[in-house]
Amino acid sequence: MFAVGLYDLVQPRHSVLRNYPVLGHLRYLMEALRPELQQYFIERDYDGRPYDRSRRSIIYERAKGVHAEQAFGTERDIDEVGYEYLAQSVAPVPLPDTPPRVLVGGPDCTQPYSMALLNVSAMSFGALSANAIRALNKGAALGGFAHDTGEGGLTPYHLENGGDLVWEIGSGYFGARTADGHFDPQQFADKAAHPHVKCLSLKLSQGAKPGLGGVLPAPKVSAEIARYRGVPAGVKCVSPAYHSVFTTPRELIRFIARMRELADGKPTGFKLCVGTRTDILAICKAMLDEGTAPDFIIVDGAEGGTAAAPLEYEDHVGVPLTDGLMTVHNALVGTGLRDRIKLGASGKVAGATDVVKRLIQGADYTTPRAP
Ligand SMILES: Cc1cc2nc3c(=O)[nH]c(=O)nc-3n(C[C@H](O)[C@H](O)[C@H](O)COP(=O)(O)O)c2cc1C
């Protein structure tokens, strides 16, 4: 027992065993028993399909370099409700030497960005701690993907580790706002010029709370959060449900073009959870009328993500990702704009099959919460 304890303390491979030896051993015992326990872990997922936690954990374990293959083969029954599958080709091709990437940047963009297919979705400083932001950004730097700042401002924690950034602003224009809450072009241009900032994103809405803004309660607005957002400390911090810089589709498209100009031609786009088809068609029409367009659109599914939002919004407002993605893709194809705009997809993307499924439905890349 003493020898095991000593070994746990000095071994460098498993920090769980080093810090919590007893619980750590229990965990590894449970993992060893997993195949037998698997049947107890069947739950329903958000689409009502049987959802197998042990399989999802296998995906996460890949990140640790273990369980690349599973010894037990397919366990889904062909008659299962909602059974989904991907179609393989009769003529497989060799794997590419480098992971595929997609070039984001339409004709009005002068600094196109080569985007990975799997990136970190928008999560702000304030919602996440400094260390979480550092970790996500370091992951982005190591993995060669992009890290979206979320709407809580561009902070030094986003910039420390050198990962590529998509800087997002929302209706509060945090980090680029005047004292009375309006968009400040000079601050925006100064920060957008940072070499780690590769793309600029305007948040229109978010899957978990479409049609609502956001609130950071007063006690959570620390001096540091307040500084990076450009708001008073200790006072409730609100992102309104609506933007003050535009009210019509044409004004939205003009504002995107202005953001891109201020960012010296870096790719600029917007993120939304689709509401109605009419909205999307009106925005496409505005692009045609204005003769310019965003370089990307990120579609967030209504099923996506956590948010401080009323339950009714979380559960019943907004279009789910499959329908939202196909609505935007089809609208862009129909209006002849699809070639110049890349589509990102966000919402319950966790494993490789989720990525492929979204690419098939029209996305060019995905932005899961935790790649
Ligand atoms: C802690 C947290 C903070 C978030 N902050 C933002 C944000 O600032 N801006 C934004 O556009 N989306 C935000 N989101 C939503 C995510 O970017 C993303 O759309 C959503 O989480 C995707 O669904 P998933 O969580 O199922 O992957 C946040 C999500 C979480 C979990």
Side-chain angles (χ1 to χ4, degrees), residues 46 120-128 148-153 168-170 174 201-209 229 239 271-272 298-308 321 345-350 367-370:
Y46 48 91
V120 189
S121 72
M123 287 176 285
S124 12
F125 175 62
L128 298 184
D148 193 316
T149 61
E151 63 174 314
E168 180 187 79
I169 54 170
F174 299 130
S201 179
L202 180 73
K203 176 178 140 181
L204 303 186
S205 57
Q206 187 182 326
K209 48 178 177 178
R229 291 188 180 213
S239 340
K271 167 177 174 174
L272 87 171
I298 300 166
V299 181
D300 199 20
E303 67 272 48
T306 335
L321 185 52
S346 151
K348 299 279 183 286
V349 176
T367 63
R369 196 182 339 160

Side-chain angles (χ1 to χ4, degrees), residues 5 11 32-33 85 88 134-135 137 148 188 194 197 229 259 263 285 289 311 331 340:
Q11 57 80 32
L33 290 174
Y85 57 89
Q88 89 288 7
R134 284 189 180 107
N137 193 261
D148 193 316
F188 180 79
H194 195 288
V197 174
R229 291 188 180 213
M259 283 171 64
K285 187 166 180 296
D289 290 347
L311 257 189
R340 61 186 289 169

Side-chain angles (χ1 to χ4, degrees), residues 8 54 83 125 133 164 175 200 225 231 239 298 310 321:
D8 287 344
S54 62
Y83 177 80
F125 175 62
I133 300 280
D164 291 348
L200 290 307
I225 289 176
V231 297
S239 340
I298 300 166
L321 185 52

Side-chain angles (χ1 to χ4, degrees), residues 132-208:
I133 300 280
R134 284 189 180 107
L136 287 172
N137 193 261
K138 182 143 196 183
L142 291 170
F145 41 84
H147 171 199
D148 193 316
T149 61
E151 63 174 314
L154 180 69
T155 74
Y157 309 119
H158 291 104
L159 299 167
E160 259 173 41
N161 288 316
D164 291 348
L165 289 168
V166 176
W167 179 26
E168 180 187 79
I169 54 170
S171 56
Y173 312 113
F174 299 130
R177 67 188 247 138
T178 56
D180 58 354
H182 292 294
F183 178 67
D184 181 337
Q186 193 53 54
Q187 275 189 59
F188 180 79
D190 290 347
K191 291 180 185 166
H194 195 288
H196 294 172
V197 174
K198 303 295 180 187
C199 299
L200 290 307
S201 179
L202 180 73
K203 176 178 140 181
L204 303 186
S205 57
Q206 187 182 326

Side-chain angles (χ1 to χ4, degrees), residues 199-254:
C199 299
L200 290 307
S201 179
L202 180 73
K203 176 178 140 181
L204 303 186
S205 57
Q206 187 182 326
K209 48 178 177 178
L212 280 186
V215 177
L216 200 59
K220 289 195 174 173
V221 187
S222 66
E224 192 183 33
I225 289 176
R227 188 164 65 249
Y228 298 136
R229 291 188 180 213
V231 297
V235 177
K236 184 167 82 173
C237 174
V238 178
S239 340
Y242 47 85
H243 277 266
S244 58
V245 277
F246 61 88
T247 48
T248 67
R250 289 183 77 146
E251 285 168 2
L252 161 68
I253 296 306
R254 271 183 238 145

